[in-house]
Amino acid sequence: MKQNLIRNLAIIAHVDHGKTTLVDGMLKQSGIFHERQVVEERILDRNDLERERGITIMAKNTAVFYRGYKLNIVDTPGHADFGGEVERIVQMVDGVLLLVDAFEGPMPQTRFVLRKALEAGLMPIVVINKIDRPSARPAEVLDEVLDLFIELGASDEQLDFPVVYTVASTGVASLDPEKPGTDLAPLFDTVVEHIPAPGGDALAPLQLGVTMISYDPYLGRQAIGRLHNGTIRSKQEVAVIRADGKLMRERVAGLYVFDGLSKVAVEEASAGEIVVVAGLGEVNVGNTVADPEHPAALDFVIIDEPTVSVTFLVNKSPFAGREGEYVTSRKLAERLRRELESDVSLRVEETGSPDAFVVSGRGELHLAILMETMRREGYEFEVSRPQVILKEIDGVNREPVEELAVDVPEEYVGMVIERLGPRKSELVNMEHQPDGRVLLTFHVPTRGLFGFRSEFLTGTKGMGTMSHSFHHYAPHRGDIETRTRGSMVAFETGETTAYGLENAQERGELFVGVGVPVYRGMVVGENSRPGDLPINVCKKKQLTNVRSSTAEVSTKLTPPRQMSLEQCLEFISGDELLEVTPRSLRMRKKTIV
């Protein structure tokens, strides 16, 4: 492709504002599928976890053609915990589509992703999506977006952004919210007109910045990045410049560009194109692929530091080794180091023990996705309660503070404020919506949100939504008691019985059902009162020769609470561990007495 016919852009937005759905529409209307082909929803979300949870976890590349122009599109995650995926792709693109819900307006993650785009000097196009919603308010949302641009220090050129109104679910766009469109042509035209063609000199020495790593079972590791200068050819010898300045010579085994959902092999590509390079065995994210005769490294974007850490340990519970394929410290260390190669916002530190590793990430969900991925690969391990990472700034001990956005019906406002008060929160904004809902914005210490989501969903009867994003570091706000109830702890090893569980359920809420293997020290429920309660859930009913009129009455058990991995992480206290295996999640006391 000629350099002036290429447009490199990323789609950024808050979670659930419709990024991946909009990409679906762009792919379908670009003609890459034949007329009768059955195409599933959220085409780019191919990972099992992404489909199950309905969120984008990894940034992904695709490309479409429109009137002779090639549009290289990067779909980015909308959840704050995966912000590292957004930060590293800003070097790949020249502009962004900022997607904003026509009802919700700018949300915490909107601020985060827009700030990164503006700092990188990218040209924005504002896309106000879901204008078909009965409660849509596109004019007010546009004013809120403009205020956000000004607040984040956008340049005059960036403030002069075009606006497109879309309904991503039906694949239509228009430049006037009062005149619905028929297709996405107005959006394509706006991209071609307002996103600048990529810069760079095709005749200069080669410089390719690696921003993603993928793996192919036949081709091995593949480096994905943008050609900033020069031309790269298949079978060419190149220099890979690592972050520490070390230079290694490699040979390009294969060269590919994106075309729709596939990669197409090419013999050469020039400055401005986004390419996939195979054969560079030692390459990692942040490296520069350069001309071996004139090696010059590119500056890599600064990634925000992690805010939460957990300790990964070798499983030492009484049930260790029963369900996992990889259980040793060597296998655990290898897997964590391999994750570092593709996840730039993750940190792994060794401890004084060979069986423990401190893993730091951008939030609980970021770390939980890693744990879930590892357990599906056959790994078995234990993790501690998440801890926030404190910083000393200007001689003051500071902690991360999140901006929390809560959308609830009006009758639950008091409950939310009451529950967040002991968690050292600060209410900064309250907006009453026309449909009777209220949007609350808080500043809450990150540790104050541990365990809050399940409490919030229960308190609002599932009718509230919440989202949060890192906002700033603030002076430590003192102790926070995030859990007011203790644990019910198994008294002996064995299998749970209906008789034992019937007695236990009177003391609190159970996490296990009948016939579940448990061991001494395992957490089997939540006590209804503060403090831990040892309890025998394996107790069997004594048989006698005496008959009773009520002996045959069946035992009535309340269904146990099914705990997800994130809920377990939120629940465990400082003296407890979460045992993660391919088939089970078990909470236990660190010291089994």
Side-chain angles (χ1 to χ4, degrees):
M1 288 294 298
K2 293 181 180 178
Q3 198 166 336
N4 64 327
L5 297 179
I6 296 175
R7 298 291 184 269
N8 297 325
L9 65 145
I11 300 184
I12 59 176
H14 185 79
V15 66
D16 282 340
H17 278 198
K19 298 178 309 302
T20 308
T21 305
L22 183 64
V23 176
D24 284 359
M26 297 175 78
L27 288 168
K28 290 172 184 175
Q29 294 186 29
S30 66
I32 69 167
F33 304 112
H34 60 73
E35 189 176 341
R36 297 187 179 181
Q37 185 171 346
V38 177
V39 182
E40 59 189 357
E41 292 183 352
R42 304 201 319 274
I43 303 165
L44 290 186
D45 285 349
R46 304 169 200 166
N47 183 299
D48 288 342
L49 275 173
E50 290 180 318
R51 291 208 159 272
E52 288 171 17
R53 295 167 183 259
I55 59 173
T56 301
I57 296 171
M58 302 292 292
K60 302 174 191 67
N61 294 77
T62 186
V64 300
F65 290 86
Y66 177 74
R67 296 183 180 174
Y69 288 86
K70 182 179 183 182
L71 313 183
N72 284 314
I73 302 170
V74 187
D75 182 23
T76 63
H79 199 286
D81 285 20
F82 308 108
E85 296 289 310
V86 179
E87 290 169 327
R88 67 178 176 175
I89 60 92
V90 294
Q91 283 194 338
M92 293 179 70
V93 298
D94 303 289
V96 292
L97 298 185
L98 176 68
L99 210 68
V100 183
D101 188 292
F103 170 68
E104 293 184 352
M107 298 291 278
Q109 181 69 357
T110 313
R111 174 189 297 274
F112 171 81
V113 294
L114 180 59
R115 186 177 78 246
K116 293 299 177 184
L118 296 179
E119 287 173 355
L122 303 180
M123 296 308 300
I125 295 174
V126 173
V127 179
I128 298 182
N129 190 31
K130 305 184 184 179
I131 60 169
D132 60 331
R133 290 180 63 175
S135 51
R137 48 187 190 94
E140 293 92 330
V141 167
L142 181 56
D143 289 340
E144 293 171 7
V145 171
L146 182 59
D147 291 342
L148 183 59
F149 269 78
I150 295 170
E151 182 185 336
L152 295 176
S155 66
D156 291 342
E157 192 176 13
Q158 289 171 328
L159 281 171
D160 189 24
F161 54 80
V163 183
V164 182
Y165 301 90
T166 63
V167 182
S169 57
T170 57
V172 298
S174 69
L175 303 180
D176 184 346
E178 302 300 324
K179 298 178 182 177
T182 56
D183 55 24
L184 291 175
L187 178 61
F188 285 124
D189 291 332
T190 305
V191 167
V192 169
E193 183 179 349
H194 289 89
I195 301 294
D201 183 359
L203 301 178
L206 173 64
Q207 282 184 306
L208 185 154
V210 179
T211 50
M212 298 185 200
I213 296 292
S214 66
Y215 182 80
D216 184 279
Y218 300 103
L219 300 172
R221 288 169 63 79
Q222 295 179 320
I224 303 173
R226 170 178 168 173
L227 277 163
H228 289 262
N229 286 301
T231 299
I232 188 169
R233 297 174 178 84
S234 183
K235 307 298 186 289
Q236 172 185 347
E237 187 176 326
V238 296
V240 176
I241 307 173
R242 291 173 34 171
D244 57 6
K246 185 178 178 181
L247 189 147
M248 299 170 295
R249 286 181 176 258
E250 301 272 1
R251 185 173 295 277
V252 176
L255 183 64
Y256 306 84
V257 295
F258 291 97
D259 185 354
L261 301 178
S262 59
K263 301 168 189 172
V264 179
V266 293
E267 286 302 312
E268 70 173 37
S270 298
E273 184 65 274
I274 293 176
V275 297
V276 183
V277 183
L280 310 182
E282 297 296 320
V283 72
N284 275 320
V285 172
N287 295 172
T288 302
V289 179
D291 187 328
E293 304 301 324
H294 306 89
L298 292 164
D299 293 331
F300 188 63
V301 65
I302 298 173
I303 304 295
D304 287 346
E305 293 295 315
T307 57
V308 177
S309 67
V310 299
T311 302
F312 278 64
L313 305 110
V314 173
N315 189 8
K316 294 180 180 178
S317 81
F319 288 173
R322 292 190 180 187
E323 299 173 356
E325 183 179 354
Y326 308 110
V327 297
T328 63
S329 59
R330 181 174 64 86
K331 288 292 186 182
L332 183 60
E334 286 176 357
R335 178 63 182 83
L336 292 174
R337 292 193 189 101
R338 192 163 74 246
E339 188 68 19
L340 286 175
E341 296 177 359
S342 58
D343 192 339
V344 294
S345 53
L346 197 73
R347 303 284 184 274
V348 177
E349 302 169 41
E350 295 185 357
T351 63
S353 167
D355 296 337
F357 306 88
V358 177
V359 181
S360 306
R362 295 288 277 275
E364 280 183 281
L365 183 60
H366 182 199
L367 297 170
I369 290 294
L370 171 61
M371 297 172 199
E372 185 65 40
T373 303
M374 289 174 62
R375 73 183 290 223
R376 293 186 183 205
E377 293 172 358
Y379 287 85
E380 182 178 309
F381 52 91
E382 291 180 328
V383 292
S384 66
R385 176 177 171 81
Q387 301 288 330
V388 297
I389 299 173
L390 303 178
K391 280 187 176 182
E392 187 173 313
I393 303 174
D394 299 329
V396 179
N397 201 24
R398 298 175 186 265
E399 64 176 332
V401 174
E402 309 267 329
E403 182 179 63
L404 171 68
V406 175
D407 183 3
V408 291
E410 195 167 352
E411 61 264 31
Y412 298 115
V413 169
M415 183 279 299
V416 172
I417 295 175
E418 181 184 348
R419 299 286 175 88
L420 284 171
R423 295 172 181 266
K424 310 293 185 182
S425 68
E426 177 187 352
L427 178 63
V428 294
N429 192 33
M430 178 188 293
E431 292 181 21
H432 290 265
Q433 307 293 347
D435 61 351
R437 298 180 71 86
V438 181
L439 180 63
L440 304 166
T441 306
F442 297 88
H443 287 167
V444 193
T446 300
R447 60 197 171 98
L449 289 175
F450 292 163
F452 177 67
R453 186 177 296 274
S454 57
E455 192 177 317
F456 170 77
L457 291 174
T458 303
T460 61
K461 297 180 173 58
M463 298 176 67
T465 60
M466 59 173 277
S467 58
H468 54 90
S469 175
F470 170 76
H471 193 266
H472 66 285
Y473 271 89
H476 196 272
R477 298 187 181 182
D479 294 336
I480 297 176
E481 188 176 348
T482 58
R483 184 173 151 193
T484 58
R485 298 180 178 182
S487 301
M488 291 199 291
V489 184
F491 191 75
E492 66 177 15
T493 302
E495 275 196 5
T496 58
T497 64
Y499 183 67
L501 293 175
E502 185 181 29
N503 292 328
Q505 71 182 8
E506 297 175 2
R507 307 294 186 90
E509 188 175 10
L510 292 168
F511 300 153
V512 294
V514 180
V516 176
V518 298
Y519 51 79
R520 182 182 176 89
M522 179 173 157
V523 175
V524 294
E526 182 179 22
N527 190 8
S528 58
R529 298 179 180 182
D532 294 336
L533 175 67
I535 199 156
N536 190 354
V537 289
C538 304
K539 187 176 182 181
K540 295 180 181 178
K541 191 172 184 179
Q542 297 299 319
L543 301 178
T544 69
N545 291 327
V546 180
R547 300 193 63 182
S548 167
S549 60
T550 60
E552 305 303 322
V553 175
S554 60
T555 303
K556 292 182 180 179
L557 293 177
T558 304
R561 190 205 304 180
Q562 300 296 323
M563 300 280 279
S564 67
L565 196 148
E566 291 100 299
Q567 289 171 328
C568 290
L569 282 176
E570 290 181 346
F571 180 82
I572 57 175
S573 59
D575 66 339
E576 294 169 350
L577 295 171
L578 171 61
E579 182 184 351
V580 183
T581 77
R583 285 187 285 172
S584 307
L585 296 170
R586 305 184 189 96
M587 294 172 282
R588 72 174 182 90
K589 291 295 176 182
K590 285 184 179 178
T591 305
I592 302 175
V593 182

